Amino acid sequence: MDHSVKTPPVLSVKMWPPSKSTRLMLVDRMTKNITTPSIFSRKYGLLALQEAEQDAKRIEDLAFSTANKHFLNEPDSDGTSAVHLYAKESSKLMLEVIKRGPLQLESDAPAEEAGTLFDLSGGRRAFIELEEAEELLSPLADPNNSFTKIRFSNRSFGSEAAGFAVEVLSSVKDQLIEVDLSDFVAGRPEAEALEVMTMFSSALEGSKLRSLNLSDNALGEKGIRAFGSLIKSQHDLEELYLMNDGISEDAARAVRELLPSTGKIRVLQFHNNMTGDEGAVAIAEIVKQCPSLEDFRCSSTRIGSDGGVALAEALASCGRLKKLDLRDNMFGVEGGVALAKTLSVLKELTEIYMSYLNLEDEGAEAISEALVKSAPRLEVVELAGNDITVKSAGKLAEWIASKQSLAKVNLSENELKDEGTILIAKALEEGHDQLVEVDMSTNMMRRAGARALAQSVLEKRGFKLLNINGNFISEEGVDEVNEMFKDSPEKLGPLDDNDPEGEDFEDEEEEDEEENELEAKLGGLKIKQEEE
């Protein structure tokens, strides 16, 4: 009998590469850093959220590429040095962007708007004081001006500048039909910001607006009520934007209370707020009274099953709805089933965004069954990150096959594997002449699924991009797909995150340990508040 002591195997945990969720976490953290007022933002200007998000994604890509090259040159390394380089490069590039400040914004207004749109949003995002306000607003103060639309976003008004601005606005409010006050008090103390909001609200009270944008102002309930006199006076609104505004439960109730009429509203957007279930119930009550609604966005608003059910039921009364965006909430199966019932009666839908809703197979199957019978002109569908498995692939394929107008399909970050992917590929083979983009990345797909999907889209005339990155495709499979796209390589996305040796079931304990350690190393990434 062998009584020798056996040495337990050493568990080797590699720190590199970071997972997709960790990379997204870093992008989100950098976006928040870039949009947070600092000593640099006062000197160079503060970036708007959309520009910051684009810069953060670009920075992460560059930092990852640099660190990955470093890692590949150290094959025996556990990846710690690559992680340090990843964080260092991200921090350096982020500081460069902050010191660069906002880029010059090009006006996207069509030529016919040139004489009707008064736009202050171009140039650096910065504070605006009285003297500059008098100069910038002089065209609007001209009694013979023909402006019907104003855009004051990207400039932060203080009390003195606002005092002059409201005099001008009071004189033109009767001719205005569109007002954009998004991101117009950035970096101001709360008391001053609320004072400015109240001043603008009073100046514009009684105007007959078709469109009102108050996004990116961290309003909360106090801010909503600061705009109370303006909101209460609007009986003909067709578009209302309250994105990234701190719309909590109480703020949502304030919106519901203050809006006097919603019968003409076509566009209603609440993206990136902290609304929650109770806030969703308040928004649902608004939605029920919007029979003309065509575009509804309530993504990234922390809504769970109860709020999801309330919203879904309310949307059933919006028979004209064309675009629906509910991404990044926690609807779960219950919310998904309720949403399916609503989708079955929404015949005009052309775009649906339902990624990251925790739908699972049951919710995805209910939605698939509904889509087979509804929305004949559907063009865009996103169902990424919903824990959808092979079990639901048949029903997914059924609705995909029935929608010949599809232009974009996103089923990434699910678990459809080869079997599910091949069913999707077969559904796309016949017709679908308008198909432009298919995203099946991160689906545990191997060589057979990749080949089938590539074959199904390769010959479509207007096709532009196939994304099958982050899967388990063998090196031979990668070569095969690259060969298929050799005459149009731009139509095939990168395959650098593909793992030829990927396993369907990873050791969760090991994975959690790796992720926690990696996130801890990246967690200290922040802006240094001094010049370097």
Side-chain angles (χ1 to χ4, degrees):
M1 179 180 286
D2 184 5
H3 295 286
S4 61
V5 178
K6 294 183 178 180
T7 304
V10 177
L11 180 64
S12 176
V13 177
K14 289 224 171 195
M15 298 293 296
W16 192 265
S19 70
K20 190 168 186 177
S21 62
T22 300
R23 295 181 65 182
L24 289 172
M25 174 273 295
L26 182 61
V27 170
D28 182 62
R29 183 167 290 150
M30 287 193 291
T31 300
K32 290 177 181 176
N33 277 333
I34 293 170
T35 56
T36 298
S38 66
I39 59 172
F40 295 128
S41 66
R42 285 188 172 271
K43 182 175 181 180
Y44 303 107
L46 193 63
L47 273 71
L49 180 63
Q50 183 176 2
E51 185 178 1
E53 287 176 340
Q54 293 172 350
D55 277 317
K57 290 175 183 176
R58 178 181 58 81
I59 290 169
E60 193 280 330
D61 279 340
L62 290 171
F64 177 84
S65 178
T66 299
N68 199 48
K69 288 179 181 177
H70 172 81
F71 177 73
L72 293 175
N73 289 328
E74 296 186 344
D76 297 327
S77 168
D78 66 354
T80 300
S81 60
V83 171
H84 284 309
L85 182 59
Y86 182 46
K88 181 180 178 181
E89 284 295 302
S90 297
S91 183
K92 182 186 76 173
L93 293 171
M94 181 172 63
L95 189 60
E96 289 177 2
V97 165
I98 291 168
K99 289 182 177 180
R100 178 205 72 199
L103 296 173
Q104 178 72 31
L105 300 177
E106 295 183 4
S107 174
D108 57 359
E112 59 268 22
E113 281 194 349
T116 61
L117 173 63
F118 181 78
D119 189 358
L120 290 182
S121 65
R124 288 176 51 185
R125 186 184 188 212
F127 283 13
I128 179 172
E129 305 302 341
L130 177 58
E131 185 176 347
E132 186 179 7
E134 291 174 341
E135 178 183 351
L136 290 174
L137 298 177
S138 57
L140 195 60
D142 183 344
N144 297 316
N145 80 76
S146 57
F147 297 117
T148 59
K149 307 169 185 178
I150 60 170
R151 185 181 296 155
F152 281 10
S153 57
N154 204 45
R155 294 300 180 95
S156 179
F157 283 80
S159 299
E160 289 189 356
F164 176 76
V166 298
E167 292 180 16
V168 177
L169 291 176
S170 296
S171 68
V172 298
K173 71 177 182 180
D174 291 336
Q175 67 194 55
L176 296 178
I177 58 173
E178 292 185 15
V179 169
D180 183 348
L181 298 178
S182 59
D183 192 28
F184 85 123
V185 288
R188 301 288 180 178
E190 180 182 296
E192 184 179 22
L194 290 172
E195 179 187 6
V196 170
M197 293 176 191
T198 302
M199 293 168 70
F200 272 74
S201 176
S202 298
L204 293 167
E205 180 182 353
S207 54
K208 295 181 179 180
L209 302 180
R210 291 205 302 251
S211 177
L212 177 61
N213 189 345
L214 301 176
S215 300
D216 300 315
N217 283 310
L219 296 175
E221 183 189 7
K222 292 180 181 178
I224 292 295
R225 295 198 180 279
F227 277 111
S229 61
L230 171 59
I231 295 173
K232 284 193 293 186
S233 68
Q234 299 307 306
H235 294 271
D236 298 306
L237 268 186
E238 296 179 14
E239 301 179 8
L240 178 61
Y241 303 89
L242 294 168
M243 298 182 288
N244 194 36
D245 266 336
I247 302 296
S248 61
E249 171 187 337
D250 292 332
R253 287 174 175 164
V255 175
R256 178 196 62 191
E257 170 194 328
L258 293 169
L259 270 177
S261 176
T262 57
K264 296 182 179 181
I265 289 182
R266 296 182 298 103
V267 180
L268 187 60
Q269 300 200 357
F270 287 96
H271 168 69
N272 196 31
N273 285 296
M274 48 186 181
T275 311
D277 281 346
E278 293 301 320
V281 171
I283 292 175
E285 292 175 7
I286 298 172
V287 169
K288 285 179 185 177
Q289 306 302 318
C290 295
S292 302
L293 194 62
E294 297 178 5
D295 181 343
F296 179 65
R297 187 180 188 189
C298 204
S299 49
S300 302
T301 44
R302 307 183 188 181
I303 297 174
S305 292
D306 291 344
V309 170
L311 273 180
E313 292 175 348
L315 286 164
S317 63
C318 304
R320 299 181 186 178
L321 197 65
K322 295 179 180 178
K323 183 177 180 180
L324 176 61
D325 187 348
L326 299 169
R327 282 174 287 192
D328 190 23
N329 284 298
M330 299 291 288
F331 280 27
V333 172
E334 186 179 356
V337 171
L339 186 56
K341 292 179 181 177
T342 293
L343 292 178
S344 67
V345 300
L346 298 178
K347 307 297 184 182
E348 302 299 318
L349 279 172
T350 58
E351 299 180 37
I352 315 175
Y353 302 88
M354 299 177 289
S355 296
Y356 310 106
L357 291 179
N358 268 20
L359 297 175
E360 301 180 14
D361 282 325
E362 186 177 346
E365 289 177 11
I367 285 172
S368 295
E369 291 172 1
L371 289 179
V372 169
K373 304 172 184 177
S374 185
R377 291 176 290 279
L378 201 56
E379 298 174 6
V380 179
V381 179
E382 287 195 6
L383 279 165
N386 275 305
D387 295 323
I388 304 171
T389 72
V390 177
K391 177 177 179 291
S392 303
K395 292 189 181 294
L396 289 174
E398 188 178 355
W399 73 254
I400 289 173
S402 71
K403 305 302 176 202
Q404 289 295 311
S405 297
L406 281 175
K408 295 184 179 181
V409 179
N410 183 352
L411 295 170
S412 63
E413 296 186 63
N414 286 299
E415 300 173 16
L416 292 169
K417 302 184 180 179
D418 270 355
E419 182 182 345
T421 302
I422 290 170
L423 289 174
I424 302 301
K426 288 181 178 178
L428 290 170
E429 277 179 353
E430 297 296 327
H432 292 95
D433 296 329
Q434 298 177 47
L435 194 64
V436 172
E437 182 177 330
V438 173
D439 190 344
M440 290 280 290
S441 58
T442 319
N443 261 290
M444 302 182 178
M445 180 196 313
R446 296 186 185 276
R447 180 179 183 178
R451 182 173 58 241
L453 195 59
Q455 288 173 339
S456 72
V457 302
L458 187 58
E459 301 302 324
K460 298 193 184 298
R461 186 174 52 189
F463 192 77
K464 293 182 179 179
L465 182 63
L466 173 64
N467 186 356
I468 51 174
N469 207 4
N471 283 297
F472 301 158
I473 309 168
S474 65
E475 293 180 3
E476 294 81 1
V478 169
D479 291 341
E480 189 174 4
V481 172
N482 278 322
E483 177 65 20
M484 294 170 70
F485 281 88
K486 67 179 181 180
D487 293 329
S488 52
E490 73 282 357
K491 295 182 179 180
L492 180 63
L495 292 168
D496 53 328
D497 281 342
N498 181 60
D499 180 7
E501 300 177 0
E503 297 291 336
D504 289 352
F505 300 98
E506 297 180 355
D507 184 327
E508 293 185 3
E509 184 175 340
E510 179 179 341
E511 182 182 10
D512 288 345
E513 180 182 349
E514 176 186 343
E515 288 301 300
N516 290 339
E517 188 173 352
L518 179 54
E519 290 193 16
K521 289 182 179 293
L522 295 175
L525 186 63
K526 60 182 68 175
I527 306 169
K528 294 180 181 180
Q529 296 290 310
E530 68 270 353
E531 297 279 5
E532 294 185 349

